[in-house]
Amino acid sequence: MALSRGQFADLIHEHAPALYRIAYRMVGECHDAEDVVQDTLRSAWACRESFQQGRGQRAWLATILRRRVIDRWRRVGRRLVLAQEGSFDVAVDGIDPTADGFTDEMQQALASLPPELRESILLVVVGELTHQETADALGVPLGTVLSRVSRARQRLRRHLRAATLH
Amino acid sequence: MTFEPTSHFPARRQRVDDNAADLADHWLDEALCTVPLPDGFLSRMTAFAHETSLVLAGGELFAGDFHDLDNFGGPAGPTSHRAPRTSGPASSI
């Protein structure tokens, strides 16, 4: 069943924030991340005939987003997912101790991961895809995703621990 | 001599280690997800989507859109080998 305009609007309300978070963690810059989300929504609408209600909407969108990120890297050249200075020039309610310093640290930790580990953990943790959905999106076996996520967590912990000690 | 409450109880020490690892994972996941949304993000996306759904009535696709359609759930291969599509209804894909 094709995606209607109303369903498209619902999808955006439900999934756009998560798409932005994945995009930000992948490209490391807020304006680029927003552009990637826009490209993703544009592609999703263009592909609306293939939309299937109830079939992993987040996974469908995240798969499109990942490909838009790859396309972007091909156009502008791949770069590290390091946060740029002033990346979080946004208003945040209250005091969030992880909003700037630690999050930038996290972005650096992510940049230290091999791409396959990074995208696996981002789809599972930030995108909240199931391991199976992530495996389908990446075209790898389920066990590979489980292993990648586990290794990514270990490496992130190690990197952050080392950063804390220095 | 320091007192190590779990040193004589390997099973308990293992549970403590597991709990610590779970906590660390939880903390890590929270930190990964902590990305503040830009001001007005949702409004901009809603407006963009509204505009897109009006403008792209017939469907103007990225080169990679074919891949998104054909291989969702399949291998993630290159997307640039397909010719960009600039016209024609999306339903004919």
Side-chain angles (χ1 to χ4, degrees), chain A residues 20-75:
Chain A
Y20 175 81
R21 292 187 177 103
I22 301 171
Y24 180 85
R25 287 303 190 194
M26 285 184 173
V27 301
E29 206 278 325
C30 56
H31 297 105
D32 283 353
E34 194 162 328
D35 285 349
V36 167
V37 175
Q38 286 194 351
D39 288 349
T40 301
L41 296 179
R42 188 173 181 276
S43 291
W45 180 251
C47 297
R48 62 192 178 278
E49 294 295 330
S50 73
F51 175 76
Q52 292 177 17
Q53 183 115 34
R55 181 197 169 194
Q57 296 165 355
R58 175 76 62 86
W60 182 60
L61 291 168
T63 302
I64 295 174
L65 181 135
R66 175 178 170 266
R67 297 214 169 97
R68 295 293 79 81
V69 170
I70 292 170
D71 287 347
R72 195 173 193 81
W73 280 336
R74 286 197 177 117
R75 277 201 309 273

Side-chain angles (χ1 to χ4, degrees), chain A residues 82-88 104:
Chain A
L82 292 171
Q84 305 295 313
E85 193 175 343
S87 293
F88 287 136
D104 285 344

Side-chain angles (χ1 to χ4, degrees), chain B residues 21-78:
Chain B
D22 285 348
L23 270 178
D25 282 349
H26 177 72
W27 178 77
L28 199 66
D29 292 356
E30 288 287 317
L32 271 173
C33 294
T34 302
V35 177
L37 293 179
D39 277 340
F41 169 77
L42 211 48
S43 304
R44 280 197 298 283
M45 290 304 109
T46 304
F48 174 80
H50 180 69
E51 198 177 306
T52 299
S53 65
L54 291 176
V55 173
L56 285 184
E60 284 182 31
L61 304 186
F62 282 93
D65 288 337
F66 291 95
H67 198 76
D68 299 333
L69 281 173
D70 298 341
N71 290 338
F72 175 58

Side-chain angles (χ1 to χ4, degrees), chain A residues 119-153:
Chain A
E119 64 183 0
S120 297
I121 195 169
L122 288 179
L123 290 176
V124 169
V125 174
V126 184
E128 296 179 349
L129 270 60
T130 65
H131 290 91
Q132 186 60 60
E133 285 173 335
T134 302
D136 291 343
L138 300 178
V140 297
L142 174 61
T144 303
V145 170
L146 291 167
S147 161
R148 283 180 181 177
V149 171
S150 172
R151 279 186 289 146
R153 280 201 172 105

Side-chain angles (χ1 to χ4, degrees), chain A residues 5-6 13 96 116 126 151:
Chain A
R5 278 193 189 139
H13 275 276
D96 181 353
E116 66 275 13
V126 184
R151 279 186 289 146

